[in-house]
Amino acid sequence: MLKALMPVAVYSIGVALKRESFKTDTMANMLSISVGVAIAAYGEARFDVWGVMLQLGAVAFEATRLVLIQILLTSKGITLNPITSLYYVAPCCLVFLFIPWIFVEYPVLRETSSFHFDFVVFGTNSFCAFALNLAVFLLVGKTSALTMNVAGVVKDWLLIAFSWSVIKDTVTPINLVGYGLAFLGVAYYNHAKLQALKAKEAQKKTQQADDEEQGRLLEERESEGNGKRSESQN
């Protein structure tokens, strides 16, 4: 539920890095999402301050990563496609994840005698992670980091439903009210973003039609001028 804050973090960082334009109505919408997430966190049956701080830190770092990916894929003068971006980003991720793994997870795995490396499970997981990263790069390159996070709200709903129905996690009414408020804010932003994209596309088509009309008129004038010159020469 705390991941519903991701659009707020992406928008704030995008404005700070000048990838998004500041709009009062958009910021008010982001604040409503934040209030909903705060209510959902307050209604948590097993609230843990340290866990909330870790999750908020993860949201901030993920938002920064996505905005930087958008800069890499869309900035002028930088010709990185999704595959090339993964070529450079994946080794960095390996290094930064390997260091805490050595000190945190590896000692536990070494003490657990029942641990066996399963190539099928790890290979399938690696393939899914590669496909996920590739899809993220493609979507961010075609749209924006903010659009990607707004689209991820559906995934968050599925995760909450799975946790409640299968893992039997406790979901309180305050949780649902808070996340419902956050979801409405995200849905409103998604609707506004879609309308803005439609308006931009319509404006682009109108501009293309005007350019074609001007080109046609220019060709007609040139042909008329050439015809008059031919008549005067005759």
Side-chain angles (χ1 to χ4, degrees):
M1 292 185 179
L2 289 176
K3 286 194 69 178
L5 272 177
M6 187 68 76
V8 181
V10 172
Y11 179 73
S12 301
I13 295 173
V15 170
L17 297 179
K18 299 181 179 180
R19 305 305 301 178
E20 297 282 346
S21 58
F22 179 82
K23 297 179 180 178
T24 305
D25 55 345
T26 303
M27 182 54 70
N29 189 20
M30 295 300 165
L31 289 177
S32 69
I33 297 173
S34 302
V35 171
V37 172
I39 295 174
Y42 177 78
E44 174 60 38
R46 295 186 298 273
F47 184 83
D48 185 89
V49 177
W50 177 239
V52 171
M53 296 302 295
L54 287 175
Q55 181 60 47
L56 292 177
V59 167
F61 283 114
E62 175 69 6
T64 305
R65 183 183 76 92
L66 290 173
V67 174
L68 293 177
I69 288 174
Q70 181 181 349
I71 293 174
L72 282 176
L73 293 176
T74 60
S75 296
K76 294 181 179 180
I78 302 177
T79 57
L80 289 181
N81 55 45
I83 296 296
T84 308
S85 302
L86 278 177
Y87 177 80
Y88 288 106
V89 172
C92 297
C93 294
L94 175 63
V95 172
F96 279 96
L97 290 175
F98 185 76
I99 294 174
W101 179 80
I102 286 293
F103 295 102
V104 178
E105 295 187 2
Y106 179 68
V108 178
L109 294 176
R110 187 174 54 186
E111 294 174 0
T112 305
S113 59
S114 61
F115 173 75
H116 297 287
F117 189 87
D118 193 325
F119 287 95
V120 176
V121 173
F122 279 86
T124 306
N125 187 25
S126 300
F127 177 79
C128 291
F130 174 79
L132 172 63
N133 285 318
L134 184 61
V136 168
F137 278 94
L138 285 170
L139 181 59
V140 171
K142 295 295 183 181
T143 57
S144 69
L146 193 57
T147 303
M148 198 281 293
N149 279 285
V150 170
V153 173
V154 178
K155 180 196 68 175
D156 295 337
W157 272 108
L158 292 175
L159 284 173
I160 293 172
F162 179 82
S163 300
W164 173 70
S165 60
V166 178
I167 307 177
K168 303 301 180 182
D169 275 347
T170 303
V171 179
T172 64
I174 299 179
N175 279 144
L176 295 177
V177 170
Y179 191 75
L181 178 61
F183 178 78
L184 289 176
V186 173
Y188 174 76
Y189 174 81
N190 196 13
H191 174 73
K193 189 82 171 179
L194 182 61
Q195 294 300 320
L197 288 175
K198 287 182 178 180
K200 187 176 181 180
E201 190 67 25
Q203 183 179 4
K204 186 184 294 185
K205 289 182 179 179
T206 303
Q207 184 65 33
Q208 289 178 352
D210 292 340
D211 293 340
E212 291 176 357
E213 181 67 19
Q214 291 178 1
R216 187 179 62 81
L217 292 175
L218 184 61
E219 290 178 356
E220 290 179 355
R221 290 177 182 176
E222 289 180 352
S223 61
E224 290 177 359
N226 293 332
K228 290 180 181 179
R229 291 194 195 97
S230 299
E231 291 177 0
S232 62
Q233 289 176 0
N234 293 331

